[in-house]
Amino acid sequence: WASEELIGNRIDFVPEHEMEKTKDAVIRTLNGEQVFIETQRYTKDRQILDVRLNSALIKNKDDQIKGLFALSRDITEQKKAQIALEESLDHFQLLLEAAPIPITIYKGKGKVSYVNPAFTDTYGWSSEELMGNRLDFVPKHELEKTKDAVTRTLKGERVFIETQRYTKDKQILDVQLYSALVKNRDGETTGLFVLSRDITKIK
């Protein structure tokens, strides 16, 4: 809309499904609150925009209300990117859950942030027992090899080794282990990804 179309008029750009949220925001603003909400608005040609809206009262020097100030930021592309990322993450989660090989993701100080069903089936611990904890399943004679693999992985190397691991009931498994860094879209390291394949019967 041009300013000439709007000055002195009401703006009919609130979608029906956003009416209640908008009325509530207006009431809260008139009660003196600075309001921040995410909502939607129409353009003149009836396209819908996702917007982040901030509203506050305008007062004169005598503290009398003179009007209402509303600032809206178009976040449509940001929301689309967010939805695409969520869909991508959902797809990634499905792949992890369906993978037939045990997968572990570690974050902060070697604490477990994810194990897939194949891991719990192979090693015996439930995900609830492991989340946020360190996983004590490296036999003593494999500690040096494991520390070396972790060090190399943290330096950015993709590491592949044969080693051994305990199950929850202290059985020893021969495993092929692959580890790599987990990074976010900015290239920052957020964790460590470990895939282990039970080769006990093959050995």
Side-chain angles (χ1 to χ4, degrees):
W1 289 276
S3 58
E4 293 77 13
E5 296 176 273
L6 300 175
I7 304 306
N9 298 316
R10 298 174 68 90
I11 309 179
D12 177 25
F13 72 153
V14 181
E16 191 70 36
H17 61 276
E18 293 292 322
M19 282 292 184
E20 285 307 311
K21 184 191 285 186
T22 301
K23 286 177 183 174
D24 176 68
V26 170
I27 290 167
R28 287 161 57 200
T29 305
L30 291 174
N31 285 333
E33 186 181 341
Q34 283 198 39
V35 176
F36 296 84
I37 60 169
E38 284 194 7
T39 181
Q40 291 184 317
R41 292 293 182 264
Y42 284 125
T43 62
K44 183 179 179 179
D45 59 2
R46 276 325 198 227
Q47 305 225 20
I48 282 191
L49 300 181
D50 290 291
V51 299
R52 188 169 288 131
L53 188 142
N54 170 219
S55 60
L57 291 177
I58 300 170
K59 295 184 178 182
N60 63 17
K61 61 182 180 180
D62 298 319
D63 206 34
Q64 296 172 316
I65 296 172
K66 303 299 288 181
L68 190 145
F69 170 90
L71 182 150
S72 60
R73 179 175 168 228
D74 179 7
I75 58 168
T76 308
E77 292 306 315
Q78 183 180 325
K79 292 289 279 187
K80 284 179 183 174
Q82 182 182 331
I83 290 167
L85 178 60
E86 286 170 358
E87 288 175 350
S88 176
L89 289 173
D90 287 344
H91 183 61
F92 180 62
Q93 182 81 16
L94 286 171
L95 289 174
L96 290 178
E97 296 288 310
I101 296 174
I103 294 170
T104 320
I105 296 176
Y106 299 91
K107 292 192 176 177
K109 297 182 179 176
K111 293 181 179 177
V112 176
S113 67
Y114 174 81
V115 291
N116 71 340
F119 183 95
T120 59
D121 291 345
T122 301
Y123 291 99
W125 287 281
S126 68
S127 58
E128 290 76 21
E129 292 176 279
L130 299 176
M131 289 306 101
N133 298 316
R134 295 177 68 88
L135 185 49
D136 180 24
F137 73 151
V138 181
K140 243 179 203 178
H141 61 275
E142 293 293 323
L143 282 175
E144 283 308 310
K145 184 191 286 185
T146 300
K147 286 177 184 175
D148 175 67
V150 170
T151 301
R152 288 161 56 199
T153 305
L154 291 174
K155 287 179 179 177
E157 186 180 340
R158 294 182 178 186
V159 177
F160 182 85
I161 60 171
E162 285 195 5
T163 181
Q164 291 184 317
R165 291 293 181 265
Y166 283 125
T167 62
K168 183 180 179 180
D169 60 3
K170 289 305 184 194
Q171 306 237 359
I172 282 192
L173 299 181
D174 291 290
V175 298
Q176 286 178 335
L177 187 143
Y178 167 78
S179 61
L181 293 177
V182 179
K183 296 188 177 186
N184 62 21
R185 288 190 295 175
D186 297 321
E188 299 166 330
T189 298
T190 60
L192 193 139
F193 171 92
V194 180
L195 183 151
S196 59
R197 177 174 169 235
D198 179 6
I199 57 168
T200 308
K201 289 179 181 177
I202 296 171
K203 293 290 279 190

